[in-house]
């Protein structure tokens, strides 16, 4: 008797790998220095990788791998399960790391706020002190772990769903319905 692997379980390894890659990108950017990267294309490249290229690649690999394991068949719904599980696992790893990192290095948030303040002043030098306080207060609220953790999970789940729809349309092959 053949054991069938579940679609969500088949995405576990790729989700772990994707999460570790995002953590490594974060660590590298922290080591290089966030303030040195401001205004460079490094941040743009990281965002393109994390939100566009890597999720698509990992979901595509997960679906095609599952298709090979399942005798050449993968349904559209299985692609959705695989893709969302990959991105949610990766987001969970990244969000947990981010939480731990901010506990270990509490001054990191202050560094981000200082960089944000300088960038706002560069773009809008005529901003009043009151407007700056409002902008920094909102930034600080959105940097809260109570906001970042669930938003990261929901955002990556949404991207996983979108990319899974696209990949599912490409790689889907339903088993024959004949008796």
């Amino acid at each position: 008797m053949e054991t069938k692997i579940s679609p969500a379980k088949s995405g576990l390894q790729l989700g772990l790998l994707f999460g570790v890659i995002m953590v490594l990108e974060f660590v590298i950017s922290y080591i290089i220095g966030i303030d040195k990267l401001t205004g460079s294309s490094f941040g743009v490249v990281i965002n393109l990788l994390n939100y566009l290229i890597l999720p698509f690649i990992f979901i595509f690999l997960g679906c095609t791998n599952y298709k090979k394991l399942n005798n050449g068949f993968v349904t559209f719904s299985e692609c959705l399960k695989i893709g969302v599980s990959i991105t949610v696992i990766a987001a969970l790893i990244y969000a947990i790391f981010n939480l731990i990192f901010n506990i270990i290095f509490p001054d990191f948030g202050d560094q981000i706020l200082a960089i944000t303040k300088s960038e706002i002043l560069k773009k809008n030098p005529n901003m009043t002190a009151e407007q700056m306080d409002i902008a920094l207060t909102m930034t600080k609220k959105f940097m809260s772990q109570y906001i970042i953790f669930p938003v990261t999970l929901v955002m990556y789940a949404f991207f996983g769903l979108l990319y899974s729809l696209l990949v599912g349309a490409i790689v889907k092959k339903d088993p024959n319905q004949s008796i």
Side-chain angles (χ1 to χ4, degrees):
M1 186 169 161
E2 206 175 299
T3 58
K4 186 175 178 184
I5 187 166
S6 75
K9 202 177 234 184
S10 71
L12 180 65
Q13 289 178 328
L14 291 171
L16 289 171
L17 180 61
F18 182 25
V20 168
I21 288 172
M22 287 195 305
V23 167
L24 289 175
E25 290 169 348
F26 183 89
V27 170
I28 289 169
S29 63
Y30 181 75
I31 290 170
I32 291 173
I34 287 282
D35 55 334
K36 293 176 187 146
L37 298 175
T38 305
S40 72
S41 60
F42 184 77
V44 173
V45 170
I46 293 296
N47 284 333
L48 282 174
L49 280 172
N50 289 344
Y51 297 116
L52 188 65
I53 298 167
L54 290 177
F56 183 82
I57 289 171
F58 282 117
I59 291 170
F60 184 80
L61 290 173
C63 291
T64 54
N65 184 47
Y66 182 78
K67 187 176 180 179
K68 288 177 190 172
L69 295 173
N70 199 27
N71 299 322
F73 299 110
V74 63
T75 64
F76 196 69
S77 65
E78 289 170 335
C79 287
L80 292 176
K81 291 175 190 174
I82 292 166
V84 172
S85 66
I86 287 171
T87 54
V88 167
I89 290 167
L92 192 60
I93 290 169
Y94 182 72
I96 290 171
F97 172 79
N98 197 348
L99 177 71
I100 293 169
F101 186 85
N102 284 313
I103 290 171
I104 294 172
F105 299 105
D107 62 321
F108 180 69
D110 296 333
Q111 289 175 347
I112 297 296
L113 284 175
I115 292 168
T116 302
K117 184 177 181 177
S118 69
E119 288 298 310
I120 289 173
L121 287 174
K122 279 182 193 175
K123 292 179 182 173
N124 191 357
N126 299 328
M127 184 176 262
T128 66
E130 184 180 314
Q131 291 172 327
M132 179 61 74
D133 286 342
I134 291 170
L136 292 177
T137 302
M138 290 302 290
T139 302
K140 201 173 204 175
K141 281 182 185 178
F142 284 107
M143 288 174 50
S144 163
Q145 292 303 318
Y146 300 113
I147 302 289
I148 285 181
F149 196 88
V151 167
T152 300
L153 292 176
V154 170
M155 185 177 59
Y156 274 97
F158 178 71
F159 285 131
L161 180 65
L162 290 179
Y163 294 133
S164 298
L165 290 169
L166 181 61
V167 170
I170 295 169
V171 302
K172 157 186 111 120
K173 185 176 179 188
D174 291 321
N176 293 335
Q177 300 296 326
S178 61
I179 298 176

